[in-house]
Amino acid sequence: MLNAKITGTGSYLPKKIVTNKDFEATLDTSDEWIYARTGIRKRHVIAEDESASSMAEIAANKAIQAAGINASDIDLIIVGTSSPDRVFPSTACLLQNKLGARGCASFDVQAACSGFIYALGIANQFIRAGGAKKALVIGTEANSRILDYSDRSTCVIFGDGAGAVVIEASEEPGILSTHMHSDGQYQDLLYINNPIKDQKQWGDEAYMTMHGNDVYKVAVKTLSRIVDETLEANNMAKSDVDWLIPHQANIRIIASVAKKLNMPMEKVVLTIENQGNTSAASVPLALDQAVRDGRIKKGDTVLMEAFGGGFVWGSALVKM
Ligand code: UT7
């Protein structure tokens, strides 16, 4: 059976930066509180003429260039996002048109902050089963469009951005395994109502709501479990993992997963301080940064993990 290998990465961050200090003018918050509780100092925010698909386009083009292929070679596009341009067509379909990847399959995955890991898992299965040869997998989030900027418990946490990978069928080892889980009993701890009008069941307010402390506790336990599951599935020891690329939700959650792996923080790719939590985009943004600055090299074993609203969580173990 063929493997699915990451052959190119790309990412995009909007120009505008909002610092913790900027929030002090409008909210009862402080740089000290935000940094101490989350590890975040600043985040990027999209301009009026940008969107999930426009950020995805820039990230995708960089990944395509890095892979040395053409957009027309792509036969599958999967986008993980919770802040799509439209309810439908999917952001993947809008991206397909922007890239000119005519006729290929394209769809979005709604798995909150785990959207990229889920999309990667699905694309991996497609390639291994022979259903695609060159896939584009994206995480892109226009979080600023779904935040209530008077709610200090969410608006200081999240940022905008996009990350992309090209994965291709290969004889070499690539994605070693992916793991996906969910537990909908936690649906009221982290959610956004549907902006479709007259939703009597849920209400009309379509902003992100998060009961952060409850989410935190489940996230720490769950991510610790998925590290074990991923290593066991591959018959690997903790010391076999070269890099951890965690979802960038909270530096304290990240540190606890690193500790579980006996991994020094120098081996953890961190973007949270400068990017905040970019939901489905956080893992591919961090991956691209570490590939482009030369930290992650061909042959390295990388563990990616994410956790988000649902709850949904997942991991991927990848030989680069
Ligand atoms: O990406 C998807 C998955 N998401 C996560 O994994 C997020 C997990 N949760 C977290 O990262 C943390 O729970 C937060 C960073 C969101 C919050 O940190 P916390 O240490 O859990 O704080 P808390 O929610 O327990 O709130 C402590 C206090 C509260 O005040 P009282 O009730 O003690 O008086 C909050 O009202 O901090 C208050 N607070 C703030 N104070 C200043 C909440 N937000 C802020 C703020 N500035 N921005």
Side-chain angles (χ1 to χ4, degrees), residues 27-30 33-34 37-38 112-113 151-154 156-158 190 210-217 219 223 247-253 277 279 307-309 311:
L27 290 170
D28 180 14
T29 193
S30 64
W33 190 95
I34 300 169
R37 300 285 178 127
T38 67
C113 297
D151 177 5
R152 67 179 182 173
S153 71
T154 51
V156 303
I157 311 273
F158 293 89
L190 178 50
M210 178 164 77
H211 299 276
N213 201 262
D214 297 324
V215 178
Y216 184 99
K217 288 177 199 147
L223 289 171
H247 170 47
Q248 314 275 324
N250 185 308
I251 190 69
R252 293 178 290 143
I253 299 177
N277 181 341
S279 306
F307 181 91
F311 293 136

Side-chain angles (χ1 to χ4, degrees), residues 18-287:
V18 177
T19 66
N20 292 350
K21 285 267 175 218
D22 293 333
F23 282 118
E24 290 179 1
T26 52
L27 290 170
D28 180 14
T29 193
S30 64
D31 177 41
E32 291 73 29
W33 190 95
I34 300 169
Y35 187 67
R37 300 285 178 127
T38 67
I40 300 167
R41 286 267 192 225
K42 51 190 179 183
R43 68 289 293 143
H44 293 251
V45 172
I46 49 171
E48 257 175 38
D49 60 349
E50 293 184 302
S51 67
S53 75
S54 75
M55 291 189 288
E57 181 188 7
I58 299 169
N61 274 322
K62 289 182 183 166
I64 288 167
Q65 196 180 24
I69 63 166
N70 298 310
S72 55
D73 299 330
I74 291 162
D75 49 12
L76 174 67
I77 301 175
I78 312 180
V79 171
T81 187
S82 300
S83 44
D85 294 29
R86 294 176 140 176
V87 171
F88 72 86
S90 68
T91 302
C93 193
L94 303 181
L95 175 63
Q96 178 267 348
N97 182 50
K98 285 179 162 147
L99 294 174
R102 294 268 169 265
C104 75
S106 64
F107 57 91
D108 288 359
V109 172
Q110 200 338 334
C113 297
S114 302
F116 174 78
I117 297 286
Y118 264 58
L120 192 68
I122 296 164
N124 180 39
Q125 301 298 341
F126 260 90
I127 287 185
R128 290 175 76 87
K133 288 199 168 58
K134 294 185 197 307
L136 191 54
V137 180
I138 313 258
T140 183
E141 298 286 11
N143 279 321
S144 57
R145 301 256 159 88
I146 52 173
L147 290 170
D148 171 359
Y149 276 94
S150 66
D151 177 5
R152 67 179 182 173
S153 71
T154 51
C155 72
V156 303
I157 311 273
F158 293 89
D160 299 335
V165 298
V166 169
I167 65 172
E168 298 185 57
S170 170
E171 302 285 344
E172 285 178 40
I175 297 172
L176 302 176
S177 71
T178 59
H179 306 261
M180 299 179 226
H181 298 284
S182 66
D183 189 344
Q185 70 169 308
Y186 295 107
Q187 60 182 290
D188 294 327
L189 294 183
L190 178 50
Y191 64 89
I192 304 176
N193 287 327
N194 196 325
I196 291 171
K197 280 189 268 174
D198 300 326
Q199 289 272 94
K200 296 284 179 271
Q201 187 185 1
W202 309 109
D204 288 335
E205 280 288 289
Y207 291 120
M208 189 181 319
T209 299
M210 178 164 77
H211 299 276
N213 201 262
D214 297 324
V215 178
Y216 184 99
K217 288 177 199 147
V218 185
V220 168
K221 271 195 226 138
T222 307
L223 289 171
S224 161
R225 276 204 311 272
I226 207 160
V227 165
D228 286 335
E229 178 187 332
T230 311
L231 293 176
E232 274 165 29
N234 292 281
N235 208 12
M236 277 192 183
K238 292 172 182 176
S239 55
D240 294 326
V241 179
D242 297 308
W243 294 97
L244 174 64
I245 303 193
H247 170 47
Q248 314 275 324
N250 185 308
I251 190 69
R252 293 178 290 143
I253 299 177
I254 295 171
S256 78
V257 177
K259 193 168 168 214
K260 168 88 190 172
L261 272 167
N262 299 334
M263 188 167 259
M265 288 304 272
E266 304 83 70
K267 287 290 184 179
V268 182
V269 182
L270 294 173
T271 56
I272 185 164
E273 183 168 343
N274 296 324
Q275 297 176 12
N277 181 341
T278 56
S279 306
S282 84
V283 168
L285 269 161
L287 174 65

Side-chain angles (χ1 to χ4, degrees), residues 1-7 124 127-128 168-176 298-300 319-320:
M1 193 187 268
L2 281 172
N3 299 305
K5 192 156 185 75
I6 294 178
T7 56
N124 180 39
I127 287 185
R128 290 175 76 87
E168 298 185 57
S170 170
E171 302 285 344
E172 285 178 40
I175 297 172
L176 302 176
K298 194 170 162 53
D300 283 354
K319 184 68 86 179
M320 295 297 293

